[in-house]
Amino acid sequence: MRRLFPVTDRTAASGPGGGPPPAPGDAGDAARDREWSLAELARAYAYPEPAPDGPRPWLRANMVSTLDGAAQHDGRSQPISTATDMRIFGTLRGLADVVVVGAQTVRMEGYRPARARAEFAGPREAAGQGPAPAVAVVSAVLDLDFSLPLFTSPLVPTLVLTGAAAAPDRVAAARRAGARVVVAGDGTGVDPARAVRALAGLGHTRLLTEGGPRLLGQFVAAGVLDELCLTISPMLTAGDAQRITGGPSVAVPHRFALASLLEEEGFLFARYRRP
């Protein structure tokens, strides 16, 4: 992997771990494309430092898209991903307090509880985080299989974000399975801005959403997305697959600024932040 942006003297002179620049044509030249350690990835994707008056919620999204804009192939993101993309996926989870995901993505991707990883145990403890991020499932009608391990045997109790008018029997089923139900809307649906505030109120300020496209579209429309981590896959799929966001368009396109860009084997790993 190599860093394309931002370009600094250190970036140009060495690999991500620092050290002296290799001689031209030396075998050390290839070190720039070596596999980055998880610690190096964690530094590259670190959340912003808390403000002097305390941490505020920071919502980042992690998505993958082909060259022709497909976020999935045959309904799943795995066929357009790569091993490095999955290492970044794991790193982003290792940094997050909570992973926010839509109900449809839970059903389609076969979501399981986030697991504790030894590589992140020390940094998470130092940051005051639990052993693994919680998973927060956004669902209006709670059409979920509450017998799945995501609800019955997570390391950290799974959260279910829903509206105040959600069906009482489904709310009760979620609670019986061990999930914590969080009301983040006045009707049956969830208000994206209220969801962010509710999670922050529970101490989850490092937020990560992995979609799906409809949920991400709602966060974009509500103006609460702070950062997009986008893997651009060098693949073409054609067809009518969803883009990374769905739902109604915004009145004026939201402009984001490029924060960093990494590359490996033609895959681009970009971070964009709201200015």
Side-chain angles (χ1 to χ4, degrees):
M1 177 179 286
R2 59 196 177 115
R3 186 188 301 275
L4 301 182
F5 180 87
V7 177
T8 65
D9 291 342
R10 181 176 177 183
T11 302
S14 66
D26 187 1
D29 247 346
R32 300 185 190 182
D33 294 326
R34 66 178 172 80
E35 182 178 277
W36 285 25
S37 69
L38 291 179
E40 288 169 324
L41 288 175
R43 288 196 296 271
Y45 285 92
Y47 279 85
E49 290 294 324
D53 57 349
R56 74 168 186 86
W58 182 270
L59 175 63
R60 68 168 29 147
N62 182 34
M63 301 292 282
V64 59
S65 172
T66 63
L67 297 176
D68 51 353
Q72 305 161 339
H73 184 65
D74 288 338
R76 300 179 65 241
S77 59
Q78 188 276 332
I80 62 173
S81 182
T82 182
T84 298
D85 184 42
M86 295 310 298
R87 292 184 79 237
I88 292 174
F89 172 93
T91 298
L92 295 179
R93 281 193 162 204
L95 296 172
D97 296 331
V98 62
V99 178
V100 189
V101 63
Q104 179 66 7
T105 298
V106 168
R107 290 188 287 264
M108 293 294 295
E109 300 278 357
Y111 256 62
R112 299 185 62 83
R115 60 188 178 91
R117 300 181 61 180
E119 302 92 333
F120 294 102
R124 289 189 68 86
E125 183 177 3
Q129 296 173 298
V135 175
V137 183
V138 178
S139 179
V141 298
L142 302 182
D143 180 18
L144 298 161
D145 182 355
F146 291 116
S147 69
L148 294 175
L150 176 62
F151 302 102
T152 61
S153 57
L155 186 62
V156 179
T158 294
L159 306 172
V160 176
L161 299 172
T162 192
D169 62 322
R170 298 306 297 161
V171 171
R175 288 175 172 154
R176 282 197 303 270
R180 179 173 184 176
V181 178
V182 179
V183 174
D186 293 328
T188 56
V190 172
D191 175 75
R194 185 168 167 182
V196 170
R197 293 195 301 270
L199 291 171
L202 296 175
H204 302 314
T205 57
R206 303 173 187 90
L207 310 176
L208 170 66
T209 180
E210 297 169 350
R214 183 171 176 271
L215 177 62
L216 181 54
Q218 292 172 349
F219 283 133
V220 170
V224 295
L225 184 69
D226 296 295
E227 180 178 333
L228 173 64
C229 298
L230 178 63
T231 296
I232 302 172
S233 171
M235 299 182 188
L236 295 167
T237 64
D240 56 358
Q242 273 190 303
R243 298 157 48 207
I244 65 168
T245 59
S249 63
V250 297
V252 178
H254 297 177
R255 179 69 180 265
F256 275 51
L258 181 64
S260 69
L261 183 63
L262 309 176
E263 184 273 339
E264 183 178 275
E265 296 182 346
F267 283 81
L268 297 176
F269 306 97
R271 280 194 310 131
Y272 291 91
R273 290 185 172 185
R274 183 166 54 178

